Every structure is written in structure tokens, then in C-alpha cells.
């Protein structure tokens, strides 16, 4: 989804708890809303946006229950589909000459974390401008819980993965 707008405003949980809603609007009319408790983003609007992005990354890698129960109302029992092999990973994004980390996310395996990093790096290619941005070096790094770098996805690898995805029939 190509983001064309972001809106931030108040919301309320069914319990009445005040929330902050961040809505990412796409160019095709689609949108994604993230609601979070107030106070989780001490840095104002930019902090709320960063936290919402982190929650989306975590949600995108979340596996659903395998018992077939409807979880739409939040009352269904949940089966744990992880075999205890999941780990905590931190994604570090290149932002110009700086790096930004999103809050750590639990992933079922390093392979899943690396696949997510590649997908995110492909999305980052859209924002790079030849001649204006440095198209060399890393775009995204994956770190383990101790902060050790496990892999780095560079521009060339992201471009190759995008090309491979475009050539894969649906």
C-alpha cells in the first residue's frame, strides 16, 4: 500500500479507555487504522506514528489460531502455534544518515524475521530517489535480543527480491 496520508485523532475502547487512533491512508482508497492506549507515545504525533508502524510490523507477522474459532470478538480460545522456537528481533531502518529502531517483535524464527526485513526493504525502495538518496549500503538490519546484527538487507538485495516477486505468477 502506498501511503498518501496519515491522520491522528482520539478514539475510545469499548471499555471507555481513551485511545489514540492513527490511520494510514492508501492511494487506492484503502486504509489501515491502529488504535493504542494514550501515553504509549511520549513524542507526540511522530511518536504515535512510529509506535503504530511498529505495531503493524508485529501484527503482520502474527500467526492466527489453528483451532478454527472466530476471534473477531476476542472471546475465542487461542491455540499457541509456536513450538517455543520464536525469538525477539529488532528491526533497524536506515533513515538518511541515521538509523531508527522499532520496538522489538516476536517472530517464529530468524527466517521469518529475515523475510519480513526483505519485504520491508522492498517497500522502502519506493521512497528512494536516484541522485538524491544514497542507493548503496544497507536499508534494514535485523538484530537479536542482545543487539547483535543478524543480517542486513541492502538496496541491491531488495531490488533483486522485488524483481523476483514481480516475475512470480500469482
Amino acid at each position: 500500500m502506498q501511503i498518501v496520508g496519515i491522520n491522528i485523532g482520539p478514539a475510545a475502547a469499548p471499555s471507555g479507555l481513551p485511545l489514540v487512533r492513527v490511520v494510514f491512508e492508501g492511494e487506492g482508497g484503502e486504509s489501515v487504522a491502529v488504535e493504542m492506549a494514550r501515553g504509549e507515545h511520549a513524542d507526540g504525533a511522530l511518536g504515535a506514528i512510529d509506535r503504530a508502524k511498529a505495531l503493524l510490523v508485529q501484527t503482520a507477522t502474527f500467526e492466527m489460531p489453528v483451532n478454527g474459532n472466530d476471534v473477531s470478538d476476542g472471546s475465542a480460545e487461542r491455540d499457541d502455534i509456536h513450538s517455543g522456537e520464536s525469538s525477539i528481533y529488532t528491526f533497524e531502518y536506515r533513515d538518511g544518515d541515521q538509523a531508527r529502531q522499532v520496538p522489538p517483535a516476536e517472530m517464529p524464527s530468524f527466517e521469518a524475521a529475515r523475510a519480513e526485513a526483505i519485504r520491508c526493504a522492498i517497500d522502502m525502495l519506493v521512497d528512494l530517489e536516484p541522485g538524491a538518496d544514497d542507493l548503496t549500503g544497507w536499508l534494514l538490519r535485523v538484530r537479536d535480543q542482545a543487539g547483535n546484527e543478524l543480517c542486513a538487507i541492502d538496496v541491491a538485495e531488495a531490488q533483486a527480491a522485488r524483481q523476483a516477486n514481480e516475475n512470480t505468477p500469482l
Side-chain angles (χ1 to χ4, degrees):
M1 176 170 97
Q2 179 68 35
I3 305 294
V4 297
I6 301 173
N7 290 309
I8 302 171
S15 67
L17 177 72
L19 303 173
V20 173
R21 178 182 296 134
V22 177
V23 180
F24 298 95
E25 298 174 351
E27 68 182 351
E30 65 274 350
S31 66
V32 176
V34 178
E35 293 179 343
M36 55 202 147
R38 291 183 186 209
E40 289 189 14
H41 55 282
D43 297 332
L46 291 177
I49 292 168
D50 285 344
R51 179 71 178 137
K53 287 179 183 179
L55 290 170
L56 287 172
V57 168
Q58 292 170 2
T59 303
T61 60
F62 179 74
E63 296 185 37
M64 295 301 294
V66 293
N67 65 3
N69 289 339
D70 179 10
V71 296
S72 62
D73 65 358
S75 64
E77 291 183 26
R78 305 185 66 127
D79 290 337
D80 184 6
I81 39 184
H82 298 297
S83 61
E85 298 174 19
S86 63
S87 294
I88 305 296
Y89 299 93
T90 301
F91 293 86
E92 181 178 44
Y93 296 86
R94 183 174 81 184
D95 187 8
D97 293 335
Q98 299 179 2
R100 293 184 349 165
Q101 290 185 346
V102 296
E106 183 176 359
M107 307 288 282
S109 65
F110 167 70
E111 290 78 19
R114 189 173 192 292
E116 177 65 14
I118 290 171
R119 188 194 63 73
C120 291
I122 290 170
D123 289 345
M124 292 174 70
L125 291 175
V126 174
D127 296 327
L128 297 178
E129 297 179 30
D133 290 315
D134 181 10
L135 300 181
T136 62
W138 66 279
L139 289 175
L140 194 138
R141 295 178 181 151
V142 178
R143 296 186 181 279
D144 65 13
Q145 212 165 353
N148 300 313
E149 183 178 317
L150 301 176
C151 71
I153 310 302
D154 63 15
V155 174
E157 185 175 1
Q159 288 173 332
R162 179 176 62 186
Q163 189 69 26
N165 287 346
E166 290 172 356
N167 292 332
T168 303
L170 297 177

